[in-house]
Structures are given as C-alpha cells and as structure tokens.
Amino acid sequence: MGFISLSEAADRLGISLLYLRDLIDRTDRKETVLDPDKTADFWSSTTSLIPERDLRTYEHMLARRRFVRFCEKFADVLVDDVELSCRPGWKLLLERVAERVRWMPSEWNVRLRKAREKSGCLVLGFEYDRDQQAAYNEIERLREEIRLSSLSMCEECGRQARFRYSPSRSLTLCGRHARLAEPTLPGDGVMADPAFDGGSLSELPSDG
C-alpha cells in the first residue's frame, strides 16, 4: 500500500492543505493519518501521510460537500452560478427548498440563487419576478421556515442539534461536532435563535 503526504494529497484534490486538514478533522478521520514523527502536531506537521487509496474517499467527501448530485438533480430550479456555501448536514433542507420551488407557479420564475451559513443559520437567496407579490410572500415564508429548521439540525451531519454561541464560529451542531464551535461564550445553551436572542455573531469562513 502506497502513502502520500498531506500536501501532495491536497494538490491532487485541488484544495488547500488547510482545508484538507479541516476536512479530516471534521469527518473524524485523524486516525487514518500516519506520521513518522510521533510528537508532531496534526495542524502543522510536514511529515503526515495518508494511504494513497484514501484519495477516492476524499473525492467522494468533497463531491458531497460541494452538493454535486444535488445540483445535477435540481438544475431546473437553480441559477447557473448558484452559491452553496453551507455544510453537507443541511442537504435535506436544500432538497426541501428545491422541491418547494418546483411546485411554485411557473410565472413566478423562481430560482435558488444562494444557500449559505450565516451566524449558525441557513440563509437563502432567490431570483424571481419581483412584480409578483404572492411570490414574495411565499418565498419569505420559505426562507424563515428553513432558517428555523436549520437551528435544530447539525450543519455537519444532519443530526439533531442546537445553536452553539461562539466568539468566532457560531454554528448549529450536534454533540458529536460541538467541538467545532469551541470555545463558547456565556449564553451558549440559552440562546436558541440568534436573530431574536441578541449577540454579536460572525460567519464561518468559506472553504479554501
């Protein structure tokens, strides 16, 4: 079995080394990383290795995180350059949105323009006929419905979750992924909806 360095793996996957490390951490695959230097730190080591065959696994993970199949399945209700900058745990919410858009009247010309994580919530943007008041009303209802639903679903894996109040990465996460929002601020566990419970929140940086 052949091994390659993390930097070579990142190059072959077309992503940054930092993003690959983050992906490995988020998907609990650190145990698959080998390092001849037993004292090395995972985040800074230059000697870390992974089995070359694991590249296929990471290719599948990246396709899932980039919503490749979702974009293929729902191309008819997405704009050509749709922005999907959220994590894979919210895929079911995106599918719910796309199915709802398919049922909207064709004269509304509704297309999903973006779906992004902001302050721990899933925020949606649409293109539609702005002269259609009924379209505006329905889209606003859908946006709020999905935003509220995202506050109880882990952005990483889709499990039952809650909002985690953090100084730099306020996210909605399950217990398994709660560490991604550490350290937390006073009010974590009490604040359920950042839009109404107050607080100064930052967005999760986009993938590199």
Side-chain angles (χ1 to χ4, degrees), residues 158-179:
R159 292 185 178 92
Q160 185 71 26
R162 71 167 176 82
F163 177 73
R164 312 275 171 169
Y165 188 30
S166 169
S168 61
R169 303 178 71 174
S170 292
L171 303 169
T172 298
L173 301 166
C174 64
R176 176 185 175 188
H177 290 106
R179 59 187 170 77

Side-chain angles (χ1 to χ4, degrees), residues 119-191:
S119 301
C121 307
L122 180 56
V123 177
L124 305 173
F126 295 90
E127 287 187 359
Y128 63 97
D129 185 346
R130 300 284 172 167
D131 293 329
Q132 299 277 353
Q133 183 63 41
Y136 171 82
N137 294 339
E138 182 61 25
I139 286 171
E140 288 304 299
R141 280 193 291 268
L142 179 57
R143 281 165 51 90
E144 182 62 3
E145 173 191 325
I146 295 300
R147 191 189 70 82
L148 291 173
S149 294
S150 70
L151 284 168
S152 62
M153 181 179 289
C154 180
E155 183 181 349
E156 281 296 323
C157 67
R159 292 185 178 92
Q160 185 71 26
R162 71 167 176 82
F163 177 73
R164 312 275 171 169
Y165 188 30
S166 169
S168 61
R169 303 178 71 174
S170 292
L171 303 169
T172 298
L173 301 166
C174 64
R176 176 185 175 188
H177 290 106
R179 59 187 170 77
L180 300 176
E182 294 175 348
T184 55
L185 289 168
D188 178 59
V190 177
M191 183 182 296

Side-chain angles (χ1 to χ4, degrees), residues 25 32 39 41 45 47 65 72 74 91 98 104 117 121 127 138 141 143 146 152 155 169-170 180 205 208:
D25 180 41
T32 68
T39 65
D41 173 67
S45 174
T47 53
R65 298 176 86 81
E72 293 172 348
F74 295 103
K91 179 174 177 285
M104 292 180 183
E117 182 274 330
C121 307
E127 287 187 359
E138 182 61 25
R141 280 193 291 268
R143 281 165 51 90
I146 295 300
S152 62
E155 183 181 349
R169 303 178 71 174
S170 292
L180 300 176

Side-chain angles (χ1 to χ4, degrees), residues 4-6 21 33-38 40 44-49:
I4 58 174
S5 67
L6 284 187
R21 292 187 200 273
V33 178
L34 306 178
D35 203 316
D37 181 357
K38 300 303 181 184
S44 59
S45 174
T46 59
T47 53
S48 297
L49 304 169

